[in-house]
Amino acid sequence: MSEAKGMTATPLGSFIDAVLRGCGQVMFQNNPITGLLFFAGIFFNSWELGICALLGTMISTGTAMILGADKGAVSAGLFGFNGTLAGVALPFYFVFSPELLLYVALNAALSTIIMAALMNFLGRWGVPALTAPFVLATWTLIFCASQFGALHTGPLLAASIPDPAAAVPAANAGAMTLWEGVTKGVGEVMFQDNVITGIIFVVAILVNSRISAGFAVLGSLVGLLTALVMQAPEAPLRLGLYGYNSVLCGIALGGVFYFLNWKTFFYALACMVFGSIATASITVMLAPIGMPALTWPFIIVTWFFLFASKMFSRIEEVPADKAGTAEENLKLSRQPA
Amino acid sequence: MSEAKGMTATPLGSFIDAVLRGCGQVMFQNNPITGLLFFAGIFFNSWELGICALLGTMISTGTAMILGADKGAVSAGLFGFNGTLAGVALPFYFVFSPELLLYVALNAALSTIIMAALMNFLGRWGVPALTAPFVLATWTLIFCASQFGALHTGPLLAASIPDPAAAVPAANAGAMTLWEGVTKGVGEVMFQDNVITGIIFVVAILVNSRISAGFAVLGSLVGLLTALVMQAPEAPLRLGLYGYNSVLCGIALGGVFYFLNWKTFFYALACMVFGSIATASITVMLAPIGMPALTWPFIIVTWFFLFASKMFSRIEEVPADKAGTAEENLKLSRQPA
Amino acid sequence: MSEAKGMTATPLGSFIDAVLRGCGQVMFQNNPITGLLFFAGIFFNSWELGICALLGTMISTGTAMILGADKGAVSAGLFGFNGTLAGVALPFYFVFSPELLLYVALNAALSTIIMAALMNFLGRWGVPALTAPFVLATWTLIFCASQFGALHTGPLLAASIPDPAAAVPAANAGAMTLWEGVTKGVGEVMFQDNVITGIIFVVAILVNSRISAGFAVLGSLVGLLTALVMQAPEAPLRLGLYGYNSVLCGIALGGVFYFLNWKTFFYALACMVFGSIATASITVMLAPIGMPALTWPFIIVTWFFLFASKMFSRIEEVPADKAGTAEENLKLSRQPA
């Protein structure tokens, strides 16, 4: 990610800048305007989710500052995006209440601990932590739902024994499935079941990178189509639930971590397809305890692809110290070495 | 851990010393008297558990010696503590019988293999294996319970589908809950559901370190209070089941791996809180197969904190080659560099 | 593994050679004749399984070539064996259909991505990926069975809640159990529930190494006997389901990765015993979602033993750059250094 340039030189200004960039980094965009628009999209859908997203980003960023994490990483929002997601996830699965805000703060702080842990661990291979800190923290804080009376779960958490032999009815999908599914697929990256919010998110990415915006939409579409071909039921398709993981696979591998060319394009495409299939797999794996896959399908598949590509001479990585927007990376790849 | 000094120069004396230190290392105390008192506490509660704990420590230490593990590590009891736990766990979950002793030996030997494996793996980051060898070996040997007629399970292993929507009644906790919960919480580190044994354990730690003894009690209390605030049922609180993981989080981060000061104190406190929440989470995760969390909540949370702190300039680690008791570490941190 | 010598110098010849060696590498044999006989054994049992095994090996090897993986590794079949297994596994659990071949291709390609990822990850410790790419890819592609209508599961995938307290009836095993169990145990490494195929597999290994063939049979026997002593039911014993993981543990540690002597023999024996127990454990772990353990028991136990042995002075590893057949390794160990 490129060097962060604080909007102002004051500590408060730097903090606000880091928080906005943090939200932007949820979709790999180191840009405060993108982050601001992401927040706007969330607040448009629900002020409760908006407050939790904002609080989560602030707490995770602040925790990193207090503990003395690397200043460049903090300024670039790298300790923010997991907090955004850790914040917005909880009111999505639990009944909103003022006390839940304390739990949001706890989740965001834990996400910062895990972010630092994974930076240390994965740093040996130059592989990023992605949104794993958010998932591992949130799983730790929501798996306990049935043991603690203080947590009031919403309707989305329900345990069941999957039946591998059950014939799932083929999807009866139409144009509306596609339209809603693709837009909501972008929105669901941040738990936003809302067409307009999904569109705002795409616009927000556009502000920073046309390539990334394109891959976000492409990822949502590829994820949905993969699940359609596999004959998933229509409801999750329309909700974008088979799209959001592939959105992240697409943005990450489509010009951000690799130099964009036809070889890396097809590599990214394969990652989006597997991201969609893995969404179903992780959902099944967690069904007996009634817990959500979150963005683990994206993380696990993208880690496989990132660890693997260092062994493949045809897939060219962007050096971490030169990485910028997808457009800047593309320009760099066209320069004579 | 500091250099082991054998009580005698004879091989048998060295072995006994290593076994006693091994038991002491369950709570990070490299001290044979502490180990002896731990064994005494277990035998006081149950001679069957005592025999299995002793046998487990002997087998795991002996396996390491036979295979040619690092002598310093063996002498310091680092190949013993997982064997102690591997030994004492089995009669806790299975009906005791003479044949079970063979299974205890198998579990302890496997714990030594896994200990060496994790030392090799985690050594790259200078992070300790903690009690992961015990948990991974024991899970391997008890998950199979429903497939093998030779294993007779006790009442503690029962599968169930957790219901995230179930309203757990608020705990009706009083002074006795607190007293029993905090003392048994220390005891449950080694599966001892016994107030007196818990107190013996605290005294045993006191012999080696007042700071560690303090953090053991604080951890048990913090774990219990966290679960109380989260409205866990009263029964597990009183049994100390929300305490034992936080006991280990507390001792480890409270002066053993970090120089004790206010910053690391609050860092350790956060670790204890998450250790308690993670106890509920891992319990739920394993509920569909009816298996126990063991000390995995402590391990996973403490690994996060240990891996993370290397990225935080405000959390100062004790260099491994200078580490001693919490008191010695504290003295070291106050010396001018 | 020794340098691959292509049968011909043409690209097609090299590809065929790599595919055959790939199949041979399923049981650690870098030999095209062994691979050819393995394929013959599979086709003898079922042409459908044979086609999928062949297609899987071709796709995984081809994917590695297209992406630019290390040529020596490709030629030695190291990008083939996970594809063989990824291919043959799917028609074992799903109803065979022409469309399933596309899914086989997808699984094989994913296995190559994961192989490269694990080579990169585990290379830091000099530990091999074993069949983990096959298992992780196949789990990703079959866990989703209950979500996708396009996948038609066979009778082997059925979810259940294990009952740890259930008394499993003691096995009523006789000579036929032993005969069928041991031969099928070798066959089940590649999902072949067929006595003759098992025998063909042993002959195929014999072509390359008598020691490896011996350890294959010994592993199958030790796995079966371990489960018999643990009082497993008779049906899985006779099907060789407690044997195949120990077959792989035996071949790997019996002269392939270690210099064969009495010390490493007993080390390998312990690995075979734990491989059998772990088979039951992983089966239970996956029971609530009705998914198979595949070769994960072999992988996890063998990883523990391989990571551990680097810490044990008495267990001598074969240097990777000098490794050949078990016989060549044995000869090497007897040469004066």
Side-chain angles (χ1 to χ4, degrees):
Chain A
M1 315 292 151
S2 63
E3 280 294 296
K5 294 178 196 81
M7 293 189 300
T8 74
T10 66
L12 181 64
S14 301
F15 180 72
I16 293 172
D17 187 63
V19 166
L20 294 178
R21 284 174 193 271
C23 187
Q25 290 278 17
V26 170
M27 302 212 206
F28 303 97
Q29 307 305 312
N30 183 8
N31 185 314
I33 312 296
T34 301
L36 190 65
L37 287 170
F38 281 171
F39 278 128
I42 302 172
F43 272 99
F44 172 83
N45 182 43
S46 152
W47 64 268
E48 290 163 356
L49 294 176
I51 285 175
C52 290
L54 187 59
L55 178 67
T57 321
M58 288 168 63
I59 295 285
S60 68
T61 304
T63 303
M65 285 176 169
I66 288 169
L67 288 167
D70 178 68
K71 282 184 186 170
V74 173
S75 303
L78 294 183
F79 282 97
F81 67 99
N82 282 290
T84 312
L85 292 165
V88 82
L90 295 189
F92 195 73
Y93 295 109
F94 293 121
V95 177
F96 184 80
S97 70
E99 305 97 68
L100 192 66
L101 293 178
L102 285 173
Y103 214 53
V104 162
L106 216 57
N107 201 20
L110 182 57
S111 84
T112 284
I113 303 290
I114 301 178
M115 181 66 182
L118 289 179
M119 277 178 157
N120 180 9
F121 184 85
L122 295 169
R124 296 283 165 126
W125 295 270
V127 166
L130 303 176
T131 51
F134 143 64
V135 175
L136 296 175
T138 305
W139 276 349
T140 305
L141 265 63
I142 71 175
F143 276 15
C144 54
S146 63
Q147 305 292 301
F148 290 148
L151 299 172
H152 303 284
T153 58
L156 294 173
L157 301 179
S160 68
I161 293 298
D163 182 358
V168 177
N172 190 4
M176 276 310 287
T177 314
L178 215 66
W179 167 245
E180 285 194 26
V182 171
T183 48
K184 287 187 177 178
V186 181
E188 290 286 3
V189 169
M190 291 197 253
F191 302 93
Q192 305 303 309
D193 170 17
N194 188 308
V195 168
I196 306 291
T197 301
I199 295 170
I200 296 176
F201 283 0
V202 175
V203 172
I205 306 174
L206 260 179
V207 168
N208 192 49
S209 164
R210 281 164 299 160
I211 295 175
S212 288
F215 273 100
V217 176
L218 181 66
S220 193
L221 183 67
V222 169
L224 190 154
L225 291 180
T226 302
L228 189 65
V229 167
M230 297 296 290
Q231 298 175 34
E234 198 264 347
L237 289 181
R238 182 183 282 235
L239 282 165
L241 296 181
Y242 282 107
Y244 70 92
N245 280 292
S246 301
V247 167
L248 292 169
C249 294
I251 302 176
L253 301 201
V256 169
F257 290 117
Y258 300 133
F259 289 121
L260 188 59
N261 56 39
W262 282 111
K263 284 172 280 190
T264 57
F265 175 82
F266 282 110
Y267 198 67
L269 197 66
C271 188
M272 296 178 227
V273 168
F274 288 120
S276 177
I277 294 173
T279 301
S281 305
I282 307 284
T283 300
V284 168
M285 215 174 82
L286 295 171
I289 57 167
M291 290 293 145
L294 303 175
T295 55
W296 198 251
F298 149 66
I299 296 159
I300 196 77
V301 169
T302 304
W303 272 347
F304 284 148
F305 274 72
L306 288 174
F307 269 100
S309 60
K310 288 172 201 287
M311 312 295 278
F312 297 141
S313 62
R314 301 245 163 79
I315 304 294
E316 245 190 305
E317 235 176 278
V318 181
D321 57 331
K322 292 185 180 168
T325 64
E327 279 75 11
E328 289 163 3
N329 295 339
L330 187 62
K331 196 180 290 178
L332 188 68
S333 75
R334 287 173 175 166
Q335 278 169 1
Chain B
M1 315 292 152
S2 62
E3 280 294 296
K5 293 177 197 81
M7 294 189 298
T8 74
T10 67
L12 180 66
S14 299
F15 180 72
I16 293 173
D17 187 63
V19 166
L20 293 178
R21 283 174 194 271
C23 187
Q25 289 280 17
V26 171
M27 301 211 208
F28 304 96
Q29 307 304 310
N30 183 7
N31 185 314
I33 311 295
T34 301
L36 190 66
L37 287 170
F38 281 171
F39 278 129
I42 301 173
F43 272 99
F44 172 82
N45 183 42
S46 152
W47 65 268
E48 290 163 357
L49 294 176
I51 285 174
C52 290
L54 186 59
L55 178 67
T57 320
M58 288 167 64
I59 295 285
S60 69
T61 304
T63 303
M65 284 174 170
I66 288 170
L67 288 167
D70 178 68
K71 282 183 188 172
V74 173
S75 302
L78 293 184
F79 282 98
F81 66 98
N82 282 289
T84 311
L85 292 166
V88 81
L90 295 189
F92 195 73
Y93 295 109
F94 293 121
V95 177
F96 184 81
S97 70
E99 305 96 67
L100 192 66
L101 293 179
L102 285 173
Y103 213 53
V104 161
L106 217 58
N107 201 18
L110 181 57
S111 83
T112 284
I113 302 290
I114 302 178
M115 181 66 182
L118 289 179
M119 275 177 158
N120 180 9
F121 184 84
L122 295 169
R124 296 285 164 124
W125 294 271
V127 166
L130 303 175
T131 51
F134 143 64
V135 175
L136 297 174
T138 304
W139 276 350
T140 305
L141 265 63
I142 70 175
F143 276 15
C144 55
S146 63
Q147 305 292 302
F148 290 149
L151 298 172
H152 303 285
T153 57
L156 293 174
L157 300 180
S160 69
I161 295 297
D163 181 357
V168 177
N172 189 5
M176 277 309 287
T177 314
L178 214 67
W179 167 246
E180 284 194 25
V182 171
T183 50
K184 287 187 177 177
V186 181
E188 290 286 2
V189 169
M190 291 197 253
F191 302 93
Q192 304 303 308
D193 169 18
N194 187 310
V195 167
I196 306 292
T197 300
I199 295 172
I200 296 176
F201 283 1
V202 174
V203 172
I205 306 173
L206 260 180
V207 168
N208 191 51
S209 163
R210 279 164 300 160
I211 295 175
S212 289
F215 273 101
V217 176
L218 182 66
S220 193
L221 183 67
V222 170
L224 190 154
L225 291 180
T226 301
L228 188 65
V229 167
M230 297 296 291
Q231 298 176 34
E234 199 264 348
L237 290 182
R238 183 184 282 235
L239 282 165
L241 296 182
Y242 281 108
Y244 70 92
N245 280 293
S246 301
V247 166
L248 292 169
C249 295
I251 302 176
L253 301 202
V256 168
F257 290 116
Y258 300 132
F259 289 122
L260 188 58
N261 55 40
W262 281 110
K263 283 172 280 191
T264 58
F265 176 82
F266 282 109
Y267 198 67
L269 198 66
C271 188
M272 296 178 227
V273 168
F274 288 120
S276 177
I277 294 173
T279 301
S281 306
I282 307 285
T283 300
V284 168
M285 214 175 81
L286 294 171
I289 57 167
M291 291 293 145
L294 303 176
T295 54
W296 198 251
F298 149 66
I299 296 160
I300 197 75
V301 170
T302 304
W303 272 348
F304 285 147
F305 274 71
L306 288 174
F307 269 100
S309 60
K310 289 172 201 288
M311 312 296 278
F312 296 140
S313 61
R314 301 245 164 78
I315 304 295
E316 244 188 305
E317 237 177 275
V318 180
D321 58 331
K322 292 186 180 166
T325 65
E327 278 76 10
E328 288 163 2
N329 295 339
L330 186 61
K331 197 180 289 179
L332 188 68
S333 74
R334 287 174 175 166
Q335 279 169 0
Chain C
M1 315 290 152
S2 62
E3 279 294 295
K5 294 176 196 82
M7 292 189 300
T8 74
T10 67
L12 181 64
S14 299
F15 180 71
I16 292 172
D17 187 64
V19 165
L20 293 178
R21 284 174 194 271
C23 188
Q25 289 279 18
V26 171
M27 303 212 207
F28 303 95
Q29 307 304 311
N30 182 10
N31 186 315
I33 311 296
T34 301
L36 190 65
L37 287 171
F38 281 171
F39 278 129
I42 302 173
F43 272 99
F44 172 83
N45 182 43
S46 152
W47 64 268
E48 290 163 356
L49 293 176
I51 285 174
C52 290
L54 186 59
L55 179 67
T57 321
M58 288 167 64
I59 294 285
S60 68
T61 304
T63 303
M65 284 175 169
I66 288 169
L67 289 167
D70 177 69
K71 283 185 186 171
V74 173
S75 303
L78 294 184
F79 282 98
F81 67 99
N82 282 291
T84 313
L85 292 166
V88 82
L90 294 189
F92 195 74
Y93 295 110
F94 293 121
V95 177
F96 185 81
S97 70
E99 305 97 67
L100 192 66
L101 294 178
L102 286 173
Y103 213 52
V104 162
L106 216 58
N107 201 19
L110 181 57
S111 84
T112 284
I113 303 289
I114 301 178
M115 182 66 181
L118 289 179
M119 276 177 158
N120 180 8
F121 184 83
L122 295 168
R124 296 284 165 125
W125 294 270
V127 167
L130 304 176
T131 52
F134 143 63
V135 175
L136 296 175
T138 304
W139 276 350
T140 305
L141 265 64
I142 70 175
F143 276 15
C144 54
S146 63
Q147 305 292 302
F148 289 148
L151 298 172
H152 302 284
T153 57
L156 293 174
L157 301 180
S160 69
I161 294 298
D163 182 357
V168 177
N172 189 6
M176 277 309 287
T177 313
L178 214 68
W179 167 246
E180 285 194 26
V182 170
T183 51
K184 287 188 177 176
V186 181
E188 290 285 3
V189 169
M190 291 196 252
F191 301 93
Q192 305 303 308
D193 169 18
N194 187 309
V195 167
I196 306 292
T197 300
I199 294 171
I200 295 175
F201 283 0
V202 174
V203 172
I205 305 173
L206 260 179
V207 168
N208 192 50
S209 163
R210 281 163 301 161
I211 295 174
S212 288
F215 272 100
V217 176
L218 181 67
S220 193
L221 183 66
V222 169
L224 190 154
L225 291 180
T226 301
L228 189 65
V229 167
M230 297 296 290
Q231 299 176 33
E234 199 263 349
L237 290 181
R238 183 184 282 235
L239 283 165
L241 296 181
Y242 281 108
Y244 70 93
N245 280 293
S246 301
V247 166
L248 292 168
C249 294
I251 302 176
L253 300 201
V256 169
F257 290 117
Y258 300 132
F259 289 121
L260 188 58
N261 55 40
W262 282 110
K263 283 173 281 190
T264 57
F265 176 81
F266 283 109
Y267 198 67
L269 197 66
C271 189
M272 296 178 226
V273 169
F274 287 121
S276 177
I277 295 173
T279 301
S281 306
I282 307 286
T283 300
V284 168
M285 215 175 82
L286 295 171
I289 57 167
M291 290 293 144
L294 304 175
T295 55
W296 198 251
F298 149 65
I299 296 159
I300 196 76
V301 169
T302 304
W303 272 348
F304 284 147
F305 275 72
L306 288 174
F307 269 100
S309 60
K310 289 172 201 287
M311 312 296 277
F312 296 141
S313 62
R314 301 244 164 78
I315 305 294
E316 245 188 304
E317 237 177 275
V318 181
D321 58 331
K322 293 186 178 165
T325 64
E327 278 76 10
E328 289 163 2
N329 295 339
L330 187 61
K331 198 179 288 178
L332 188 69
S333 74
R334 287 171 176 168
Q335 278 169 0

